[in-house]
Amino acid sequence: MTRIVLQLYIAGRTPRSERAIAVLRRLCEHELAAYECDFTIIDVLADPVQAEIHKILATPTLIKEQPLPQRRVIGDLAADPSEVLNALNLPPT
């Protein structure tokens, strides 16, 4: 079984951030339920060093760390869940 590692970068608790968090949880709980899915939410206002290390220029930004290759989606993830999964090249094959 492939492990999926995602990191969501947000800037405070804005409506866009809350929507992105909700969509990410829904993706992991439903569309990716067959996989081990770990996600971390990083607030760049509380941890700006992480934003600099990962070169976050806009929020929300979702980064797929595993499986490789790394992929990024910028925005509140409000698009069709299948579009978000396609952009991240998920689920793994």
Side-chain angles (χ1 to χ4, degrees):
M1 177 175 272
T2 301
R3 181 171 169 243
I4 299 169
V5 179
L6 303 167
Q7 295 179 330
L8 177 64
Y9 291 83
I10 61 171
R13 291 294 187 166
T14 66
R16 290 187 68 179
S17 297
E18 295 295 332
R19 191 169 36 246
I21 292 168
V23 169
L24 177 59
R25 284 198 170 117
R26 191 169 49 244
L27 287 173
C28 288
E29 291 172 0
H30 297 283
E31 283 80 1
L32 300 173
Y35 302 93
E36 180 182 350
C37 187
D38 295 333
F39 67 88
T40 306
I41 299 169
I42 301 158
D43 186 339
V44 299
L45 299 179
D47 193 353
V49 173
Q50 287 298 315
E52 189 170 322
I53 290 170
H54 294 280
K55 300 180 181 4
I56 302 301
L57 301 175
T59 58
T61 294
L62 178 62
I63 300 176
K64 179 191 76 170
E65 295 286 348
Q66 293 290 329
L68 294 173
Q70 186 185 80
R71 297 273 176 107
R72 291 177 179 229
V73 173
I74 299 171
D76 62 6
L77 310 178
D80 180 345
S82 64
E83 291 179 22
V84 174
L85 293 174
N86 283 338
L88 294 172
N89 196 26
L90 289 174
T93 55

